Amino acid sequence: MFEKEFMKKAISLSQENIKKGGGPFGAVIVKDGKILATGCNRVTCNNDPTAHAEVSAIRKACKKLKNFSLEGCEIYSSCEPCPMCLSAIYWAHIGKLYYGNTKKDAAKIGFDDSFIYDELDLPAEKRKIPALQHLHTEALEAFNEWKKSENKVEY
């Protein structure tokens, strides 16, 4: 259920983060009506292109729960997540996403992810970063070992 206070917190984090030298993005992960973790965009501060608000919050929440799954959680983001963050939200099994600004709003201030969406529509070999397959048979050995492994944790 949408809670206005959690969205306000995500927006507040985005505003506070600007003063700390980060990007205007904040995220809050909630479980059972309580804030589990928060995150802000620290890409340039940390020299880490993956340090987006949502990914940072996901990392903290998983660490706190000692689990890679955030099933039963909701995420409140000050902006519609980029492709990386949206993928992370799906991988974390977060049940619901609420956001404030849209990706079009973000593009207007210089955070335009449309080039990634455009690239994903192209065949792998035609992308700006060509993806070329090599040593497929050798690489499959690890997958075959995983398939047979009794120690694997599926997710």
Side-chain angles (χ1 to χ4, degrees):
M1 175 170 74
F2 174 75
E3 294 288 344
K4 198 176 195 179
E5 68 182 270
F6 300 134
M7 182 57 77
K8 284 186 173 185
K9 177 67 175 173
I11 293 167
S12 173
L13 287 167
S14 72
Q15 293 168 322
E16 291 169 19
N17 198 49
I18 296 167
K19 296 172 189 154
K20 297 176 184 175
F25 303 96
V28 175
I29 295 179
V30 174
K31 183 167 182 145
D32 300 325
K34 294 182 182 152
I35 293 177
L36 181 62
T38 63
C40 294
N41 180 292
R42 306 302 291 167
V43 170
T44 57
C45 302
N46 295 355
N47 295 316
D48 178 355
T50 68
H52 289 202
E54 298 88 344
V55 170
S56 297
I58 288 169
R59 288 174 179 158
K60 289 177 187 174
C62 288
K63 188 172 186 176
K64 192 170 186 178
L65 292 178
K66 296 181 171 85
N67 197 326
F68 56 82
S69 175
L70 296 178
E71 196 170 333
C73 293
E74 299 176 335
I75 189 165
Y76 293 77
S77 179
S78 64
C79 186
E80 185 176 3
C82 74
M84 175 185 70
C85 292
L86 185 59
S87 296
I89 289 165
Y90 274 93
W91 277 113
H93 301 286
I94 292 174
K96 197 168 276 189
L97 160 67
Y98 300 97
Y99 63 89
N101 294 313
T102 67
K103 60 185 175 183
K104 289 181 181 178
D105 296 326
K108 288 178 187 174
I109 63 163
F111 295 93
D112 189 355
D113 298 323
S114 61
F115 75 98
I116 297 173
Y117 291 107
D118 293 343
E119 285 286 300
L120 292 174
D121 283 339
L122 296 173
E125 67 278 359
K126 293 195 177 186
R127 296 178 185 157
K128 286 183 185 176
I129 301 173
L132 308 167
Q133 186 177 30
H134 291 286
L135 301 177
H136 182 229
T137 303
E138 291 86 338
L140 276 176
E141 291 177 24
F143 280 13
N144 290 331
E145 288 176 35
W146 170 259
K147 192 175 177 181
K148 295 175 197 171
S149 175
E150 294 180 16
N151 298 327
K152 66 184 168 199
V153 177
E154 296 194 33
Y155 55 96

